[in-house]
Amino acid sequence: MSQSSNRRNCIVIIFDDDFLDYARNCLLSFSNYPDHPEIKVIYQGKDQSIIAFIRDLDSVEQFYVELDTPKYSELNLGHIGSPMIYGRYICWSSLFDEYDKVLYIDCDTLILKPFPELFEKEDFFAVYDNAGKPLFNKTAYQNDVFLSKTEQDNIPVDLVNNLMINSGMLLIPRRYRNKSNFDFLHRLSERYSPFIEHSDQSIITIWCYLQNLKISCDYQYNYMIDRITRPTFGNVKLDDVKLLHFSYWKPKKNLEELLERSPLFVQLEDIIRKNSDFLENVT
Ligand SMILES: [Mn+2]
């Protein structure tokens, strides 16, 4: 991909002080993708060493925007528990108007290989999550308010309940990025907050359904490591993975427990060792 076409696109990474270690490793792993589009980092913290670290990276720029975290704190924070998860809605605003495609990626990811072809996709792109629990929580179906809201909004609950994107990697073309979609995501979040199981991820899936968007199974662009324990996930070889996502199993939290579980995960461990410092003090 040429320099000029790279300039049309950008990558957005959002984090706060709770995720510094992930974000640092994620940003360093872009050395595996030297010709990447410019990275806009939205860092909601004041650590001067992190600000200097961002400044020193090539094609990486801190983007100063104050996320509305007090408002996000009132929404359903689900399994993650941090209002920062709703921060990714900023990618639907007109903030990145000068760019053709915006690629949002979670900071708990590692780039293993370049993926310029992802930016050639013309439509919104995200992969299936296939989480153990569906999109709406257990109590939703017993709730008349939920049933009448979904009916008014033309959301077929049984169908949508069994769909879900993973919000760790989202390619958002320009035509979806405007005040109307940004506000719509916030409205959906408030409207369905008591009824969703996976917070922002549930809401973005509802948005995808209402836009008639397809969800991909191309897991090389978002290889969620919790899926490695599930047989249905065997269709992507680790050798082919371009973006590794520490979903559920996280370094310095519970990742070692996963790696000890089976010799099948030796290759995964090698990849993590080679591409991060997460396992440096682990023998
Ligand atoms: Mn994540």
Side-chain angles (χ1 to χ4, degrees):
M1 180 174 273
S2 72
Q3 279 297 327
S4 62
S5 60
N6 260 350
R7 232 171 269 135
R8 297 189 340 244
N9 305 315
C10 75
I11 295 170
V12 175
I13 297 175
I14 303 174
F15 63 96
D16 64 7
D17 287 333
D18 290 340
F19 281 81
L20 288 184
D21 222 19
Y22 298 114
R24 186 177 48 79
N25 273 288
C26 172
L27 288 165
L28 288 173
S29 72
F30 271 94
S31 63
N32 293 321
Y33 183 2
D35 198 24
H36 61 80
E38 179 146 315
I39 301 173
K40 305 286 180 188
V41 172
I42 299 179
Y43 164 51
Q44 300 287 286
K46 295 187 168 67
D47 186 325
Q48 289 305 313
S49 67
I50 288 293
I51 291 167
F53 166 78
I54 295 166
R55 195 174 45 231
D56 288 347
L57 293 166
D58 286 338
S59 303
V60 178
E61 185 186 75
Q62 192 172 351
F63 196 86
Y64 290 90
V65 52
E66 196 72 44
L67 299 173
D68 198 352
T69 38
K71 186 164 101 186
Y72 295 149
S73 299
E74 291 165 16
L75 298 171
N76 184 331
L77 302 181
H79 301 281
I80 312 282
S82 163
M84 291 294 285
I85 53 178
Y86 288 98
R88 75 195 86 209
Y89 288 177
I90 200 85
C91 298
W92 273 262
S93 74
S94 47
L95 260 191
F96 305 102
D97 251 4
E98 64 187 287
Y99 299 97
D100 188 11
K101 315 255 167 68
V102 168
L103 178 70
Y104 166 83
I105 61 171
D106 267 4
C107 66
D108 59 348
T109 58
L110 293 174
I111 307 307
L112 306 183
K113 289 191 171 111
F115 42 81
E117 72 285 359
L118 187 58
F119 294 91
E120 304 298 319
K121 294 188 185 296
E122 285 308 317
D123 213 338
F124 181 90
F125 183 83
V127 304
Y128 268 108
D129 189 280
N130 301 328
K133 290 180 177 168
L135 188 136
F136 298 115
N137 61 33
K138 278 192 202 142
T139 60
Y141 278 74
Q142 276 96 56
N143 192 303
D144 289 341
V145 176
F146 170 76
L147 295 170
S148 76
K149 280 180 174 178
T150 48
E151 201 183 315
Q152 279 167 27
D153 294 347
N154 284 317
I155 297 170
V157 284
D158 289 319
L159 175 66
V160 175
N161 200 29
N162 291 302
L163 298 172
M164 193 160 61
I165 58 135
N166 180 272
S167 59
M169 182 281 304
L170 305 160
L171 183 77
I172 313 165
R174 188 191 272 121
R175 66 178 176 282
Y176 298 111
R177 302 190 325 255
N178 49 56
K179 189 172 179 344
S180 136
N181 273 322
F182 182 64
D183 291 347
F184 187 39
L185 282 166
H186 287 88
R187 271 207 312 282
L188 283 174
S189 303
E190 282 161 19
R191 189 165 164 81
Y192 288 104
S193 195
F195 311 117
I196 50 178
E197 184 67 30
H198 300 273
S199 31
D200 64 295
Q201 197 166 275
S202 293
I203 298 301
I204 297 168
T205 305
I206 297 170
W207 178 83
C208 285
Y209 172 78
L210 294 172
Q211 305 289 324
N212 201 19
L213 295 171
K214 295 191 175 59
I215 305 174
S216 173
C217 288
D218 205 346
Y219 292 108
Q220 62 179 318
Y221 298 112
N222 181 359
Y223 189 89
M224 294 157 269
I225 67 164
D226 60 319
R227 301 278 91 83
I228 204 169
T229 57
R230 299 177 200 207
T232 49
F233 200 60
N235 61 344
V236 175
K237 291 195 195 80
L238 270 175
D239 287 332
D240 298 329
V241 171
K242 299 187 174 188
L243 186 147
L244 185 75
H245 186 186
F246 292 108
S247 59
Y248 185 74
W249 301 102
K250 295 211 187 308
K252 311 215 165 147
K253 192 180 151 205
N254 56 3
L255 177 67
E256 287 170 49
E257 198 187 307
L258 172 74
L259 297 176
E260 279 165 16
R261 211 188 250 193
S262 160
L264 281 174
F265 304 147
V266 166
Q267 193 192 357
L268 178 68
E269 181 170 347
D270 284 348
I271 289 172
I272 296 167
R273 278 189 194 280
K274 206 172 134 227
N275 292 282
S276 74
D277 62 13
F278 288 131
L279 298 173
E280 248 168 32
N281 299 315
V282 180
T283 46

